[in-house]
Amino acid sequence: MTSTWLVILSIALALGAPAAYALLLRVAVVRNHPEAYVLAFAVATALAGLAVARARTRRWPAWTALALTGVLLIGGSWFNFVGARVPVAPTALRVGERAPDFTLTDAAGRPASLADYRGQKPVVLIFYRGYW
Amino acid sequence: MAELQGLGAALSEAERAGVEIVAVSPDPNERSQKLAEGLHLGYRFLADRDLAVTRRYGLVHARGGPSGEDVPRPATIVLDRNGVVRWLSISSNFQVRPDPADVLRAVRGLS
């Protein structure tokens, strides 16, 4: 493969992988394997490295691709393996024990308590943040 | 947010009627309202602005936010009709949330 094609493939992979991840975030198997985008960045970096090695004359596109994919690989690795870590800490929740009751207001300002559902319905209680 | 969309898509009409999905976040109510309307899922969005409830549950990730603020640890808890915890999942990487299939299996197992 020529250096130009390697550069195109490398950049397409480096930009396409996070775009696909973001678009398919609601699909559990995609969302729950964020290491896949890190792997894509690693492959893209390797392709860019190969492009640099194969470049005969105009070398700057290959070097640019290598710099871009390298930054994404380092940034993506840090985010997934360090930044996104949530430290483990004890919670007030034990399987088989009643969850602590609370009252909060909903979007319309109406108060809602966990106790409202007791004897009525099972509850899926989700504490969430961000786009994931 | 994507996790809530995924769970909503996995639930049938009957299942949605038979279970209450309560989503708690420190987001301001206006944002939750927009999210609730956009999802059309009948979730109950509750605002825990000061994280008081989240803290009581032991689900605060201290200084885990983008500007070093306290944020919730993502968690999904299945409670039976008596409010007893039957299943729970707490993320150790905030990008990872439970698979809706696992949540549904826990809900179906309550009978």
Side-chain angles (χ1 to χ4, degrees):
Chain A
M1 213 185 293
T2 67
S3 178
T4 307
W5 276 110
L6 286 167
V7 166
I8 291 167
L9 201 59
S10 164
I11 290 179
L13 184 60
L15 301 181
Y21 174 74
L23 280 172
L24 297 172
L25 214 49
R26 71 181 71 177
V27 181
V29 70
V30 174
R31 178 187 62 234
N32 290 343
H33 290 94
E35 66 281 359
Y37 65 72
V38 178
L39 181 65
F41 291 151
V43 172
T45 305
L47 289 172
L50 202 58
V52 168
R54 291 205 178 165
R56 296 266 177 272
T57 47
R58 266 187 343 136
R59 298 190 117 173
W60 68 265
W63 279 111
T64 306
L66 186 60
L68 174 76
T69 53
V71 166
L72 286 172
L73 178 58
I74 293 165
S77 302
W78 182 87
F79 182 75
N80 182 51
F81 296 112
V82 184
R85 287 276 143 209
V86 180
V88 176
T91 72
L93 297 158
R94 306 277 171 281
V95 172
E97 286 180 22
R98 191 169 275 183
D101 196 24
F102 60 80
T103 304
L104 290 170
T105 53
D106 70 6
R110 290 173 306 212
S113 296
L114 207 50
D116 297 345
Y117 306 108
R118 202 163 293 158
Q120 307 288 319
K121 281 180 176 183
V123 173
V124 179
L125 183 59
I126 300 173
F127 290 83
Y128 74 99
R129 79 195 220 204
Y131 297 102
W132 286 268
Chain B
M1 218 148 92
E3 133 189 63
L4 299 174
Q5 293 168 318
L7 181 61
L11 279 168
S12 71
E13 293 278 329
E15 283 167 329
R16 204 176 298 169
V19 64
E20 192 70 30
I21 303 180
V22 180
V24 178
S25 97
D27 287 348
N29 273 334
E30 306 81 69
R31 222 179 111 182
S32 299
Q33 177 78 59
K34 277 207 194 88
L35 184 60
E37 285 168 1
L39 289 173
H40 299 295
L41 296 171
Y43 289 5
R44 202 76 193 266
F45 285 91
L46 301 179
D48 187 21
R49 297 303 304 275
D50 54 1
L51 293 173
V53 171
T54 308
R55 206 172 297 281
R56 194 136 53 80
Y57 270 64
L59 292 173
V60 168
H61 178 187
R63 296 175 302 283
S67 351
E69 72 275 26
D70 289 354
V71 287
R73 289 161 70 190
T76 302
I77 304 138
V78 173
L79 308 175
D80 67 15
R81 270 166 225 280
N82 300 314
V84 174
V85 179
R86 289 297 170 199
W87 184 90
L88 79 156
S89 159
I90 301 167
S91 298
S92 57
N93 177 321
F94 68 64
Q95 302 170 100
V96 178
R97 310 291 165 91
D99 188 327
D102 294 332
V103 180
L104 282 180
R105 201 170 301 128
V107 171
R108 287 177 188 138
L110 295 176
S111 70

